[in-house]
Amino acid sequence: RIHHLIRSYNYGTNNYVYKSSSNEFSADYITRKEKLKKVLAREYISFFDPFESEYYRKDVEFIDPLTKLSGTESYSNNVKMLSGRTLIGSILFEGARINLHAIEETGPYKLRTRWTLRVCFKILPWKPVPVFTGISEYTLDNDGYVQKQEDYWDSINLEDGNYVPRDKLAGLSEFVKQLFKKEKMSSNGQMEWPYELLRRGKTYEVRRYPESKVAKTQYENRPQGFAKLGSYMDGSNSSKAKILPLSPCLLEIGKDGNNKNMIWPLAFKFPNGSYSSKKFPEPLENDISLEEIGGKVFAVLLFSDPTTEQFVRYYSDQLRKEIGRDGLLPDNASADVFYVAQYDAIFSFSERRNEVWLPLESKLWDRKGF
């Protein structure tokens, strides 16, 4: 048998994605493997309802940071419990879902999926919703059946761009931490700009923001920018209408200290192509513009220090180092500009919720393989 492997680098991790030639595997294997990709997409979307066990070996192994199982029956019982389709599952969990981001071939007899999993642990009074992002590594047998599945979480298994096994205590600690995590809400009570979580790492997140409509203005100092956009929202517009923007306020600051823009998101595009709000009145001030911005993928680092130049530079450098270790590339737009997200009122005295953002090369996060 002739092995002919074409390798292309996958910048999400320090691994290669393999493309196999057609003469490497049997026709039956290739057919079943392609069917399996579609099966995995269906299973993720439906949260394994049904679990298509005919594509798995009877003695399939399943390993994740919390669990080690063997056999299709144990596998099926586990996903039924998480989805609340068993007695104990209906007591503990609700709303389980998986967003599938990609299916890739990473080597001979290897498939990898990238996903975001969330589930409500409803037995606790505050009903926390742990969220995990990561990958599943599938090992196939010679006939294309799943022989083994190993799950890794970005938050504990991803180290310097590679996924490494951790003991069960690390998985349990991460799960408990999420159960008792206090979410920081913006102090002004605004609805937040929605996003798709692509990665939740140890210190940073990767998010995909949708196409959006925004109000934008240049400013010399921050109070001036808030005053100008605040005036537009309070009725200084062609319809004298009150407008409630989304949170956060996004600042684009040239690294030389010049070309400072303040952006307030107004509406976002749903997956079906419609906007959350359709039209907005024209500003009365010439230096305020209404714009549509394309969807974008950002790496994000949270901090509570003031958004002064010293802290913005420090946390931006930290974020750039963190994503670089994991093989992620900022796009060219980040070379000359700092992106700062501010969730609280400008003179808030409560604990601040600020973020630095780095735009990433979006193609690395394109949905693919299904």
Side-chain angles (χ1 to χ4, degrees), residues 32 35-36 39 42 52-57 144-146:
R32 188 168 288 110
K35 286 183 179 179
L36 177 60
V39 166
R42 289 198 299 267
E52 300 187 44
S53 60
E54 62 269 27
Y55 287 88
Y56 297 74
R57 285 177 56 115
Y145 295 99
V146 177

Side-chain angles (χ1 to χ4, degrees), residues 16 21 26 46 50 62 65 69 112 144 146 175 243 248 251 262 277 307 320 345-346 352 368:
Y16 286 93
S21 66
S26 70
S46 67
F62 173 80
L69 303 170
R112 171 186 291 168
V146 177
F175 181 71
I243 303 167
L251 308 174
M262 182 175 289
S277 296
T307 53
R320 192 176 289 271
I346 186 170
R352 295 178 179 91
K368 50 182 175 284

Side-chain angles (χ1 to χ4, degrees), residues 88-232:
I88 190 170
S90 66
I91 296 171
L92 296 176
F93 303 110
E94 68 179 5
R97 71 178 189 272
I98 302 176
N99 289 349
L100 178 61
H101 306 308
I103 302 176
E104 301 170 320
E105 291 186 51
T106 55
Y109 306 102
K110 294 286 187 179
L111 294 178
R112 171 186 291 168
T113 59
R114 181 173 296 282
W115 41 261
T116 300
L117 164 68
R118 65 188 70 229
V119 60
C120 175
F121 195 67
K122 69 176 186 178
I123 198 170
L124 294 177
W126 58 94
K127 295 189 175 182
V129 182
V131 180
F132 304 93
T133 66
I135 63 169
S136 295
E137 300 277 20
Y138 291 87
T139 302
L140 311 185
D141 67 10
N142 291 336
D143 298 314
Y145 295 99
V146 177
Q147 183 172 319
K148 187 177 184 179
Q149 177 184 338
E150 297 175 273
D151 287 3
Y152 298 94
W153 298 347
D154 293 325
S155 54
I156 63 170
N157 298 116
L158 183 58
E159 294 184 6
D160 296 336
N162 295 300
Y163 288 93
V164 296
R166 298 288 302 276
D167 58 37
K168 294 294 185 287
L169 184 60
L172 181 61
S173 175
E174 173 64 18
F175 181 71
V176 171
K177 183 174 74 173
Q178 289 216 43
L179 294 181
F180 293 92
K181 180 182 177 182
K182 291 184 178 180
E183 294 292 340
K184 293 183 179 180
M185 305 300 292
S186 56
S187 61
N188 51 23
Q190 292 169 253
M191 177 182 173
E192 292 192 9
W193 201 357
Y195 60 85
E196 180 183 12
L197 182 65
L198 301 174
R199 171 177 290 176
R200 192 176 67 79
K202 291 184 179 72
T203 60
Y204 68 91
E205 294 183 348
V206 175
R207 306 172 184 169
R208 178 185 285 117
Y209 281 86
E211 293 182 43
S212 301
K213 296 180 180 180
V214 302
K216 181 176 179 179
T217 189
Q218 287 191 327
Y219 68 94
E220 293 295 329
N221 58 69
R222 208 164 304 171
Q224 177 195 45
F226 272 90
K228 287 199 292 184
L229 292 181
S231 177
Y232 169 72

Side-chain angles (χ1 to χ4, degrees), residues 309-325:
E309 180 180 354
Q310 172 190 358
F311 287 115
V312 168
R313 286 186 181 276
Y314 172 77
Y315 287 112
S316 294
D317 287 344
Q318 288 297 110
L319 178 57
R320 192 176 289 271
K321 290 176 184 176
E322 292 289 336
I323 67 170
R325 275 196 288 266

